[in-house]
Amino acid sequence: MPGINRHKQLSFVLAGLFGILTLRLAQLQLVQGSRYARLSERNHVRRVVLSAPRGRIFDCRGQLLADTRPSFTVSVIPTEMDSTTLLLLSRLLGIPLSELQSRVRPFSLTPSPVTVRRNLDIASVLRLEENSFRLPGVRVSVDPIRCYPAGEADCHVLGHLGEAGEQDLGPDSDYRLLDYIGRDGIEAQYERLLRGHDGYEYIEVDARGREIGTIAEKRPVQPVPGLDLHLTIDQRLQELCLNLTAGYRRCAVVGMDVRTGAILCLVSRPVFDPAMFLSPIPGETWARFTAGQDKPFFNRVTCAGYPPGSVAKPIVALAALHHGVVTGHTRFEPCTGSYKYGNRVFRCWARHGSLDLTGAITHSCNIYFYQLGLTLGLDSLVSFCAGMPLGRITGVDLPAENPGNIPSRAWLDAKYGKGKWTSGVLLNFAIGQGEILTTPLQLCVTYAGIANNGVFPRPHLLAAVDSAGRRIMQTKVLADTTQLASNDLKLVKRALERVVTYGTARTAQLKEIPIAGKTGTAQNPGADHAWFVGYAPADDPQVVFAVLVENAGHGGTVAAPIASRLIQASLDSDASADNESD
């Protein structure tokens, strides 16, 4: 019967299809059920990172130097965007489309949020909310952002943040691309302490990727803020230093506690606002900051190498006394304003006549030190400097410190060829010129060691670390000691007092505070650099300052008055009143 056969065939087909569907359903439910459950959850549940606030940074008096505040951040999830998302976002935020595309393109396959703009103003946030139905894959969140209440005043102390790149990621890294990370200064030096630990929460999203709300069943992990740092910097002194140097284009100033190495102020000009790195920097702005010689991001206190000029003469004098080639009474050929050595004529800035060692330091006589250098010899001078914080880093807790240069015989052979340099280099070396290079911080520490009878304190900025308001670490005072004869130190220290009382640094005099120090006017391809390095009170040293003003002329005219104002303020219990009068 044809009709019965067709019925049976149809039954077999239906039974086969039912069997296949049953098997497929069993496979989906029993074999692959957990996998598809995870995929389904992933489609409607989003794991969102909660950024940890960075630790705060305070000065020595508890004034806040760096904090975090809430800020609106707009991100895109590339896998949830459509073709018009970036175009509309560009119009609403006023960001060039090409900038957005270049920002997002490297992450085009990622399902995680990619930050496109931080620190968004409220008007922009409202525009995004009004157009949210046309912006799939766009989310606005509230995240902590760094802020610097003192603005540019502490830029070379605190440094700045940048966004983490591929070089910051690795198997042991917990950074995500575009996370903030310390790039310079204290922010970079103590990144590990300041960073904290991110948390996360789970957000339910609809089929278009729009966030509905948090999922109560999945408990969030709260972020752990970074540790709080207390610095040795005195912000009142820091701001006074900025005021005193406001008229100079490029300079470097550092002050330190002679006894502990605690840095009281550190200013390098030009300055910049560290908050500028928290948002994308327009190309023309970046070009303006990086072109020319000013280099505002360059910390001249720790990273620049300058010829010390006559500030080096007390060190040369100590070396000569140490090696026994002179006494305080030694006199050389009188200064007539010039000194002929070989075929060259070396100059002095005045005609000083016959001087002893104290007089030569007091009046900064080049002719005396040319002859002293020849008598001492290169090797003896270099070996003495090896015991000082010169030609090597001081160990300050800032990144990228410059070791400077003390030109040894081997160094000169490498530069000029073996035996192809003359003793003429030694004459320049003896007055702090030629290939000798130092940082302002190195000279500050060196003079601290002279004031401190051969104990050179290790300079540092970190004083203590707090966790949740509880002190967990206090910086230990460290120092390096060089054996210097007390009579040698006594002679040089007396000469440094006379420099301020009778010599080239009379502009540094204060009525009630005796100051000891040395001026320098260092030659270089442009106008001379002005130096002063000194400590006070001369009879009971507590503070030491190094001041360098590029291309400003004589140290006694320019640098010494700045140092004396800072010395006065640092030793004055009412330093704030002094600052306000400026």
Side-chain angles (χ1 to χ4, degrees), residues 57 63-67 147-152 154 158 235 239:
I57 303 176
Q63 182 172 338
L64 197 56
L65 306 181
D67 197 1
C147 60
Y148 301 96
E152 61 189 23
D154 306 304
L158 301 179
Q235 188 62 17
E239 292 176 2

Side-chain angles (χ1 to χ4, degrees), residues 125-152:
V125 173
L126 292 175
R127 280 197 299 275
L128 294 181
E129 289 298 322
E130 291 169 357
N131 292 275
S132 60
F133 65 97
R134 295 195 293 161
L135 291 168
V138 174
R139 70 184 306 267
V140 177
S141 59
V142 178
D143 295 316
I145 193 171
R146 204 55 152 164
C147 60
Y148 301 96
E152 61 189 23

Side-chain angles (χ1 to χ4, degrees), residues 10 23 46 62 187 203 218 230 250 293 333 338 380 404 483:
L10 183 60
L23 289 173
R46 180 178 296 157
E187 295 276 26
I203 303 289
K218 288 182 172 292
H230 293 262
R250 296 186 294 271
Q293 299 180 344
E333 184 179 320
S338 64
S380 296
Q483 294 299 322

Side-chain angles (χ1 to χ4, degrees), residues 4-221:
I4 294 174
N5 289 336
R6 282 199 299 274
H7 180 73
K8 285 183 178 179
Q9 290 174 353
L10 183 60
S11 297
F12 284 137
V13 170
L14 290 175
L17 289 174
F18 183 76
I20 292 171
L21 288 174
T22 301
L23 289 173
R24 180 58 176 162
L25 183 61
Q27 181 189 26
L28 292 175
Q29 291 290 336
L30 301 178
V31 180
Q32 296 180 309
S34 58
R35 173 174 175 266
Y36 284 108
R38 288 196 302 272
L39 292 175
S40 174
E41 181 176 277
R42 191 177 301 172
N43 284 336
H44 79 277
V45 176
R46 180 178 296 157
R47 184 175 183 268
V48 176
V49 173
L50 302 174
S51 299
R54 288 179 74 83
R56 297 172 295 177
I57 303 176
F58 300 88
D59 84 336
C60 66
R61 299 175 188 274
Q63 182 172 338
L64 197 56
L65 306 181
D67 197 1
T68 56
R69 61 174 173 79
S71 167
F72 291 109
T73 300
V74 59
S75 309
V76 299
I77 303 172
T79 54
E80 296 180 5
M81 294 190 310
D82 64 26
S83 58
T84 64
T85 298
L86 289 186
L87 180 60
L88 181 55
L89 201 57
S90 167
R91 292 174 182 169
L92 294 173
L93 296 181
I95 304 174
L97 178 60
S98 59
E99 182 181 323
L100 283 179
Q101 289 172 330
S102 63
R103 181 88 169 175
V104 176
R105 190 175 296 119
F107 313 101
S108 57
L109 299 179
T110 180
S112 302
V114 177
T115 301
V116 296
R117 180 57 56 92
R118 291 184 169 99
N119 203 18
L120 215 59
D121 59 82
I122 190 65
S124 299
V125 173
L126 292 175
R127 280 197 299 275
L128 294 181
E129 289 298 322
E130 291 169 357
N131 292 275
S132 60
F133 65 97
R134 295 195 293 161
L135 291 168
V138 174
R139 70 184 306 267
V140 177
S141 59
V142 178
D143 295 316
I145 193 171
R146 204 55 152 164
C147 60
Y148 301 96
E152 61 189 23
D154 306 304
C155 60
H156 290 105
V157 173
L158 301 179
H160 62 85
L161 302 178
E163 293 181 333
E166 294 284 354
Q167 73 279 6
D168 302 304
L169 309 182
D172 301 325
S173 172
D174 60 352
Y175 289 98
R176 294 167 295 133
L177 280 173
L178 308 182
D179 276 353
Y180 279 136
I181 185 172
R183 290 302 188 199
D184 201 2
I186 290 295
E187 295 276 26
Q189 184 75 22
Y190 295 109
E191 167 70 15
R192 186 176 57 82
L193 302 180
L194 289 166
R195 174 169 163 70
H197 299 282
D198 291 342
Y200 53 86
E201 64 179 353
Y202 294 94
I203 303 289
E204 185 177 6
V205 296
D206 64 16
R208 291 177 58 83
R210 292 175 299 196
E211 295 181 355
I212 299 172
T214 57
I215 299 176
E217 293 78 13
K218 288 182 172 292
R219 296 181 60 185
V221 174

Side-chain angles (χ1 to χ4, degrees), residues 496-497 499-519 531-536 547 555-568:
L496 292 176
E497 288 185 59
V499 169
V500 178
T501 308
Y502 306 108
T504 56
R506 281 170 287 181
T507 52
Q509 288 180 14
L510 295 173
K511 285 184 180 178
E512 298 181 353
I513 304 173
I515 297 176
K518 185 71 187 75
T519 57
W531 275 105
F532 179 81
V533 186
Y535 55 86
V547 178
T557 304
V558 177
I562 295 173
S564 70
R565 290 293 306 278
L566 291 170
I567 287 171
Q568 185 175 43

Side-chain angles (χ1 to χ4, degrees), residues 367-378:
I367 303 301
Y368 187 97
F369 276 90
Y370 291 145
Q371 298 173 83
L372 179 60
L374 290 172
T375 304
L376 176 61
L378 179 67

